[in-house]
Amino acid sequence: MKMHRAEEIWLIFGVAIIVLSMAVTGYQAFAHGMAPPSGMETIDPQKVDETAPFDNPGVFEVGENEYEVVMTLQAFSFTPNEIEIPVGSEVHFTMTSKDVVHGFQVPGTNINAMVTPGHVQRISQTFDEPGEYLVICNEYCGAGHQVMATTITVK
Ligand SMILES: [Cu+2]
């Protein structure tokens, strides 16, 4: 096969780039032990009540206009049940389940999380509009699933 000199050069150049990229990626993955980020936090679901921060659920001010809500979900309620925050605050929810899989959804916002036993779920939201926000469990969790709801009051 007859090849033009310029074709040959570009072919070598192209193959060299592929080989080099594979070598760099391979070196990073194996030699440095790289893995995709997971950020998974686990907790013993039998010991939620004794494990910080879930031994003291509630609404905490963590900064200017910034709140953390430490929450446990259990059949068929949310603890704390009353959440009140000022308008415009950023709220960080830290949640876990004490029994089965529950959902944490606030219709009209982007909050929609699955809260599973043995894991810590984190989700943040800024509430710019005052009002009563309905919170519902959207994962079927048992006979009382339909009553598992609460509200977040923003004022
Ligand atoms: Cu539930």
Side-chain angles (χ1 to χ4, degrees):
M1 189 173 67
K2 187 134 175 39
M3 240 194 272
H4 196 274
R5 182 81 191 129
E7 260 185 319
E8 243 174 48
I9 291 167
W10 278 109
L11 195 64
I12 290 164
F13 184 67
V15 170
I17 283 182
I18 292 169
V19 170
L20 188 72
S21 327
M22 286 167 76
V24 169
T25 311
Y27 175 73
Q28 286 179 329
F30 294 107
H32 290 177
M34 279 188 181
S38 79
M40 187 173 75
E41 290 175 74
T42 56
I43 181 172
D44 183 344
Q46 309 282 331
K47 295 191 178 134
V48 170
D49 285 332
E50 298 108 78
T51 311
F54 300 103
D55 53 349
N56 182 26
V59 184
F60 305 95
E61 194 168 355
V62 291
E64 206 181 318
N65 264 341
E66 215 180 327
Y67 291 82
E68 185 185 10
V69 176
V70 176
M71 182 182 259
T72 60
L73 286 78
Q74 55 276 311
F76 302 99
S77 63
F78 298 87
T79 310
N81 197 28
E82 307 254 292
I83 300 171
E84 217 181 281
I85 46 146
V87 178
S89 11
E90 188 181 9
V91 183
H92 308 288
F93 295 93
T94 305
M95 303 173 283
T96 194
S97 167
K98 287 163 89 170
D99 39 42
V100 296
V101 176
H102 294 285
F104 182 77
Q105 185 180 9
V106 183
T109 71
N110 281 337
I111 301 178
N112 187 357
M114 201 186 234
V115 182
T116 54
H119 296 102
V120 178
Q121 176 68 279
R122 292 178 193 273
I123 193 162
S124 296
Q125 175 75 26
T126 304
F127 292 90
D128 287 323
E129 297 282 323
E132 291 244 306
Y133 290 77
L134 178 69
V135 180
I136 54 165
C137 170
N138 62 4
E139 293 286 337
Y140 182 73
C141 55
H145 168 65
Q146 73 282 355
V147 299
M148 188 165 167
T150 184
T151 51
I152 297 171
T153 308
V154 179
K155 59 184 182 185

